[in-house]
């Protein structure tokens, strides 16, 4: 294209995109007006008004995020037609709602990501816009179907991967590659495993797949939402902008420590405790720990009843315990069975003594009347309640587990490994979360509390209904001079409706607060780190077994993590999971990946490293430092990077000031990385090599290594440098 022709095309494209923004603004104004009207609306029930407000608010959010990069490309067909591709779809209501902008997830948009020179899919050209704010700055064209045409749209892709990193992960909606698009649009109802080495984009592909599923299956998915599970809060903050930027907000983000609402993690388990808690064998320990709390009295427990003394002896308690266990109910709910049998025995014995000489069993009416009086007496008897609490206590998951951990005797009784013991039973760890979640089902609810809450709700509803009935009755009996204002009736109706099942919280708020919430789809990132118990929790959260699982077995560091995907999934979905791999590294430049690949070959020789799509021109370096010189070298790196655009991090083993462990950087990326004492990272922890591999592959531009001891053999290819300045970092 000539310079004049390009300029004319650019003006034309700018005019078209400006027109799209005019439509966006008009649509946004219309939806905001609907939202305002819904907020002030008086028609319909409160539930209907709440639904309308939520629906309008969701539309407002969808249109707000579309402002940045609304249109990012154009597809031209062999017949001369063309379509514009963007974040959302826009239509021309004057022309039978013809699309003027295709949503990137629409089937007609797919060739924008998949058409290649070898397989043009009836497309002649792919045009990609580069925008600043609302204006098209320039564009690049890729002509399809010619032998010398490129297959990847490298100009836009390389501009994206070379750009300095910001505070969070960016969406890749404008630069999705064919390999990634095939996974994003994969039509599979079960579990999709996406495995890829560092920098292959597996996380962002999984998030775009969620956006695609919400677009194509919105009615099925949006009422229950999507759960995204990540390795740590920093990672969740990093990825948290991607789905909102694509217009999707019905998504809950959590770590495995967030499985239990309100749980505060304050400690970290050692490797052996992690392994023990992550194994399904811990289920036997939990069951035994509960059984250990269902006790028999060493000596008969005296209860005064109807003026006589009766006793709960071991034989009675054992009968009640056996029947309660055979009921199959959770522990707290089975207490009712235990209580019923103990109560029966005590009242029978008391009636026998009270009625000795005058009351026979054949006189059923009198017998039952006396029993009724005794039952009322027992219900208020604190000694009897204390005896029940001793023999069959109501337990919470936190109470049971804390007392188990802090008592060597209880650990022995439950057949648990002493490695589970700790002085502070309530110093919760991430590995405790799936155990506490399991105990919710094993223990069950306290039925007495549930009944009290239900009685209170019914009383409130009856009061509200009474107010309404009273006002209506008052209106019927009024003289002509009396007046009952409409606001009186409206107040009464609102009061009554308040106690109908109505919840004005949005989906994320409701799902986060509800342990029993189930999701239509679950994304699991860094899935190789999850234990068998973690997976058990997730399967409960998604009965439909619809998952996108993201991971890299070569990066596993947890002793309770996955050794193979089949070992994890065949237990739950033996015939409903598929495996897909990503092979191209878009993050790590070839110079750095060569160093990481040498390490990978040592600890995972059968794993093929991903192929880097680019080089950065800066060689990674190493530097020998003394103990006293480590802090100064770290300060020099931090000071130097502070003057550059982008992000940086210092990664090191535990105990080195100014560093963070590699585990806290999983899934994250930085322009520059300094790895401190790799020899100690290799030597410490159950998966030191995997830890170092993670550390080496976080950088997108620059990598430096500080070592005090001999440089590990796998890193021998690093150029030794006297100062970072000479290595290109200054």
């Amino acid at each position: 294209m000539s310079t004049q022709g390009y300029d004319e095309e650019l003006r034309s494209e700018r005019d078209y995109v400006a027109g799209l923004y005019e439509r966006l603004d008009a649509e946004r104004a219309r939806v905001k007006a609907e939202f305002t009207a819904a907020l002030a609306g008086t028609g319909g029930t409160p539930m209907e008004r709440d639904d309308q407000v939520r629906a309008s608010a969701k539309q407002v959010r969808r249109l707000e995020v579309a402002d940045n990069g609304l249109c990012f490309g154009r597809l031209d067909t062999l017949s001369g037609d063309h379509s514009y591709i963007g974040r959302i779809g826009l239509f021309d209501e004057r022309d039978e709602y013809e699309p003027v902008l295709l949503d990137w997830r629409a089937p007609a948009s797919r060739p924008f990501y998949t058409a290649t020179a070898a397989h043009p899919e009836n497309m002649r050209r792919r045009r990609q816009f580069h925008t600043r704010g609302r204006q098209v700055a320039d564009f690049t064209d890729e002509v399809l179907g010619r032998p010398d045409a490129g297959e990847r749209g490298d100009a836009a892709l390389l501009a994206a991967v070379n750009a300095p990193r910001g505070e969070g992960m960016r969406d890749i909606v404008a630069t999705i590659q064919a390999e990634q698009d095939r996974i994003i649009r994969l039509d599979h109802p079960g579990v999709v495993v996406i495995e890829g080495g560092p920098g292959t984009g597996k996380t962002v592909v999984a998030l775009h797949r969620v956006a695609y599923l919400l677009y194509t299956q919105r009615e099925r998915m949006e009422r229950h939402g999507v759960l995204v599970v990540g390795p740590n809060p920093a990672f969740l903050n990093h990825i948290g902008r991607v789905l909102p930027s694509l217009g999707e907000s019905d998504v809950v983000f959590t770590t495995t420590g967030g499985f239990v609402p309100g749980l505060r993690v304050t400690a970290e388990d050692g490797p052996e405790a992690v392994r023990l808690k992550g194994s399904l064998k811990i289920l036997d320990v939990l069951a035994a720990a509960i059984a250990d709390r269902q006790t028999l009295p060493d000596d008969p427990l005296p209860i005064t009843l109807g003026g006589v003394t009766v006793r709960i002896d071991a034989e009675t308690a054992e009968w009640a315990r056996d029947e309660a266990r055979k009921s199959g109910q959770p522990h707290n709910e089975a207490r009712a069975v235990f209580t019923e049998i103990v109560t029966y025995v005590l009242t029978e014995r008391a009636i026998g003594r009270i009625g000795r000489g005058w009351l026979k069993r054949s006189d059923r009416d009198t017998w039952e009347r006396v029993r009724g009086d005794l039952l009322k007496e027992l219900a208020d008897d604190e000694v009897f309640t204390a005896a029940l609490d001793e023999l069959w206590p109501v337990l919470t998951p936190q109470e049971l587990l804390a007392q188990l951990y802090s008592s060597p005797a209880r650990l022995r009784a439950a057949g648990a490994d002493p490695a589970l013991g700790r002085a502070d039973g309530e110093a919760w760890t991430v590995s405790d979360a799936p155990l506490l979640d399991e105990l919710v089902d094993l223990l069950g609810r306290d039925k007495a509390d549930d009944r009290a809450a239900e009685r209170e709700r019914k009383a409130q509803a009856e009061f509200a209904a009474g107010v309404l009935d009273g006002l209506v009755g008052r209106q019927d009996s009024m003289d002509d001079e009396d007046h009952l204002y409409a606001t009186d009736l409206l107040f009464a109706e609102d009061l009554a409706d308040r106690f109908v099942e109505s919840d004005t919280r949005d989906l994320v708020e409701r799902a986060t607060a509800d342990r029993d919430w189930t999701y239509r789809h679950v994304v699991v990132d860094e899935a190789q780190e999850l234990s068998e118990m973690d997976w058990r929790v997730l399967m409960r959260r998604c009965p439909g077994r619809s998952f996108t699982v993201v991971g890299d077995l070569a990066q596993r560091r947890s002793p309770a993590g996955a050794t193979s995907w089949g070992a994890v999934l065949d237990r739950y979905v033996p015939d409903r999971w598929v495996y897909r791999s990503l092979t191209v590294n878009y993050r790590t430049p070839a110079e750095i990946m060569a160093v990481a690949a040498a390490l990978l070959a040592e600890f995972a020789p059968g794993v093929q490293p991903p192929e880097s799509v680019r080089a950065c021109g800066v060689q990674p370096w190493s530097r020998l430092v003394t103990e006293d010189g480590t802090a100064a070298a770290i300060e020099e790196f931090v000071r130097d990077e502070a003057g550059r655009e982008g992000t940086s991090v210092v990664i090191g083993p535990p105990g080195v000031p100014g560093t963070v462990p590699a585990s806290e950087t999983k899934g994250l990326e930085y322009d520059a990385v300094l790895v401190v004492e790799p020899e100690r990272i290799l030597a410490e922890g159950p998966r030191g090599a995997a830890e170092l591999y993670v550390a080496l592959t976080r950088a997108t531009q620059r990598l430096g290594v500080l070592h005090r001891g001999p440089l590990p053999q796998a890193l021998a290819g690093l150029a030794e440098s006297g100062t970072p300045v000479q290595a290109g970092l200054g």
Side-chain angles (χ1 to χ4, degrees):
M1 187 183 299
S2 67
T3 301
Q4 181 180 355
Y6 178 88
D7 290 342
E8 290 176 356
E9 281 281 298
L10 181 58
R11 281 193 295 271
S12 174
E13 299 293 26
R14 284 174 172 171
D15 289 343
Y16 190 87
V17 172
L20 293 177
Y21 275 108
E22 289 178 5
R23 291 178 184 275
L24 176 67
D25 290 339
E27 180 70 4
R28 184 181 291 156
R30 182 187 66 79
V31 172
K32 283 185 176 179
E34 289 182 356
F35 177 65
T36 302
L39 284 175
T42 56
T45 67
M47 286 181 63
E48 290 170 339
R49 294 197 295 272
D50 290 342
D51 288 342
Q52 181 59 42
V53 168
R54 278 199 290 263
S56 298
K58 188 177 295 185
Q59 276 289 84
V60 170
R61 289 195 298 269
R62 171 179 170 270
L63 295 172
E64 290 290 353
V65 300
D67 203 76
N68 182 27
L70 173 64
C71 177
F72 48 77
R74 190 181 101 178
L75 267 178
D76 295 0
T77 67
L78 290 173
S79 61
D81 296 328
H82 55 257
S83 303
Y84 288 85
I85 315 298
R87 289 183 178 277
I88 64 171
L90 292 175
F91 301 88
D92 186 352
E93 64 279 2
R94 297 166 300 181
D95 188 14
E96 298 183 355
Y97 284 90
E98 277 293 308
V100 293
L101 181 67
L102 289 175
D103 190 299
W104 67 274
R105 295 165 289 191
S109 299
R110 183 167 189 172
F112 186 79
Y113 303 110
T114 59
T116 66
H119 301 284
E121 301 186 30
N122 293 319
M123 298 296 153
R124 185 175 68 87
R125 178 170 56 191
R126 172 168 43 229
R127 173 169 292 175
Q128 292 181 299
F129 299 141
H130 312 125
T131 59
R132 295 190 188 95
R134 288 187 161 205
Q135 188 174 39
V136 177
D138 54 52
F139 64 82
T140 56
D141 281 346
E142 181 185 2
V143 179
L144 303 168
R146 300 188 310 180
D148 59 345
E151 293 190 9
R152 263 208 296 256
D154 287 337
L157 173 65
L158 292 178
V161 298
N162 280 315
R165 265 48 192 171
E167 291 301 315
M169 179 180 283
R170 297 167 293 195
D171 66 64
I172 58 169
V173 64
T175 57
I176 293 170
Q177 301 301 290
E179 179 185 60
Q180 299 169 330
D181 186 80
R182 285 191 291 271
I183 297 174
I184 290 170
R185 298 177 193 262
L186 181 62
D187 183 16
H188 182 76
V191 178
V192 176
V193 176
I194 306 173
E195 184 162 30
T200 53
K202 51 188 179 292
T203 297
V204 74
V205 166
L207 296 175
H208 283 67
R209 183 165 191 263
V210 168
Y212 177 74
L213 292 174
L214 285 166
Y215 176 79
T216 57
Q217 304 176 30
R218 189 166 302 280
E219 185 175 343
R220 184 182 74 85
M221 294 184 65
E222 71 175 352
R223 290 190 62 185
H224 286 256
V226 174
L227 175 66
V228 176
V229 181
N232 53 58
F235 175 82
L236 296 180
N237 287 335
H238 179 64
I239 69 172
R241 301 176 186 176
V242 174
L243 284 169
S245 76
L246 299 173
E248 304 300 346
S249 57
D250 291 336
V251 181
V252 174
F253 294 87
T254 188
T255 65
T256 54
F259 288 159
V260 179
L263 181 68
R264 185 166 172 261
V265 174
T266 60
E268 185 175 348
D269 281 317
E272 183 61 11
V274 170
R275 186 187 66 80
L276 291 168
K277 292 179 183 181
S279 170
L280 291 179
K281 294 178 182 177
I282 198 70
L283 294 172
D284 294 332
V285 173
L286 297 180
I290 294 172
D292 182 52
R293 307 302 295 271
Q294 301 163 354
T295 62
L296 305 179
D298 295 328
D299 299 305
L301 302 175
I303 306 293
T304 300
L305 186 59
V308 301
T309 299
V310 291
R311 289 173 173 79
I312 306 175
D313 53 33
E315 183 180 13
T316 298
E318 185 174 22
W319 176 31
R321 184 180 68 177
D322 290 346
E323 292 301 316
R325 288 176 175 175
K326 283 191 285 189
S327 73
Q329 298 181 71
H331 169 86
N332 289 335
E333 296 170 24
R335 174 177 159 123
V337 178
F338 180 87
T339 302
E340 182 180 6
I341 292 176
V342 171
T343 301
Y344 170 78
V345 172
L346 294 183
T347 54
E348 283 290 303
R349 289 173 179 174
I351 293 172
R353 295 184 60 183
I354 294 169
R356 185 174 295 161
W358 65 271
L359 179 59
K360 299 185 182 299
R361 187 175 292 276
S362 58
D363 188 357
R364 300 306 303 171
D365 291 342
T366 304
W367 193 284
E368 291 303 323
R369 186 167 60 252
V370 175
R371 184 195 299 281
D373 293 338
L374 296 178
L375 289 175
K376 293 177 182 177
E377 186 177 340
L378 279 178
D380 297 327
D381 191 323
E382 294 181 358
V383 175
F384 177 64
T385 301
L388 290 178
D389 290 342
E390 178 182 341
L391 301 176
W392 196 287
V394 173
L395 298 168
T396 67
Q398 287 85 348
E399 180 183 22
L400 177 79
L401 208 54
Q403 293 174 359
L404 175 68
Y405 289 153
S406 59
S407 170
R410 292 197 187 280
L411 285 171
R412 284 194 300 273
D417 192 301
L420 293 177
R422 65 190 186 210
D424 183 357
E426 295 185 337
W428 301 116
T429 70
V430 169
S431 300
D432 290 328
L435 278 61
L436 291 168
D437 186 79
E438 186 74 32
L439 285 169
V440 172
D441 287 340
L442 293 176
L443 294 176
R445 271 45 172 197
D446 181 359
K447 290 295 187 181
D449 287 347
D450 287 350
R451 286 194 294 271
E454 179 63 16
R455 283 196 300 270
E456 182 179 359
R457 190 194 69 79
K458 286 183 177 179
Q460 291 172 330
E462 289 171 1
F463 169 75
V467 171
L468 181 60
D469 290 343
L471 285 173
V472 173
R474 178 184 157 200
Q475 183 180 23
D476 291 341
S477 62
M478 277 182 176
D479 296 332
D480 291 340
E481 293 91 8
D482 293 327
H483 298 282
L484 183 62
Y485 293 103
T487 52
D488 294 330
L489 287 174
L490 286 175
F491 164 76
E493 289 175 352
D494 284 342
L495 184 64
D497 283 336
R498 188 181 306 164
F499 299 101
V500 178
E501 290 297 327
S502 177
D503 195 336
T504 59
R505 296 172 298 170
D506 64 25
L507 183 143
V508 172
E509 292 174 314
R510 287 179 285 135
T512 302
D514 186 357
R515 179 264 174 186
D516 294 324
W517 189 276
T518 58
Y519 298 88
R520 284 290 184 262
H521 191 77
V522 176
V523 176
V524 187
D525 210 324
E526 299 294 342
Q528 74 278 354
E529 305 296 346
L530 269 63
S531 69
E532 292 177 325
M533 287 297 294
D534 290 329
W535 283 105
R536 187 173 168 88
V537 175
L538 289 175
M539 292 298 168
R540 278 199 291 269
R541 296 293 190 275
C542 188
R545 303 291 195 261
S546 177
F547 283 76
T548 299
V549 174
V550 180
D552 180 8
L553 295 176
Q555 295 187 55
R556 178 179 68 88
R557 62 181 297 273
S558 170
T563 55
S564 74
W565 301 119
V568 169
L569 298 171
D570 285 344
R571 179 188 304 275
Y572 302 103
V573 284
D575 301 316
R576 291 187 60 222
W577 70 276
V578 296
Y579 175 89
R580 296 292 184 271
S581 64
L582 292 169
T583 61
V584 179
N585 188 332
Y586 301 101
R587 177 179 69 216
T588 316
E591 295 90 341
I592 296 175
M593 197 61 215
V595 177
L599 176 64
L600 182 67
E602 281 197 0
F603 79 92
V607 178
Q608 182 70 26
E611 178 185 357
S612 294
V613 76
R614 67 189 176 96
C616 66
V618 179
Q619 290 297 324
W621 54 270
S622 64
R623 181 180 177 186
L624 180 64
V625 293
T626 63
E627 181 176 359
D628 294 338
T630 301
I634 292 175
E635 289 176 8
E636 182 181 355
F637 170 83
V638 172
R639 185 171 57 251
D640 184 69
E641 286 300 324
R644 294 175 178 269
E645 186 179 6
T647 59
S648 63
V649 69
V650 182
I651 302 174
V656 177
T659 71
V660 297
S663 58
E664 293 185 14
T665 66
K666 296 197 77 168
L668 308 182
E669 55 186 37
Y670 305 87
D671 292 271
V673 173
L674 181 66
V675 179
V676 178
E677 298 188 49
E679 65 277 18
R680 279 185 55 191
I681 296 176
L682 277 174
E684 294 185 16
R687 294 277 295 176
E691 191 97 335
L692 182 56
Y693 183 62
V694 170
L696 294 174
T697 53
R698 297 307 94 193
T700 65
Q701 301 291 343
R702 302 176 295 281
L703 172 68
V705 173
L706 301 179
H707 60 104
R708 288 173 50 195
L711 196 64
Q713 181 59 38
L715 306 186
L718 284 171
E720 191 72 25
S721 171
T723 67
V725 175
Q726 295 173 348
L729 273 158

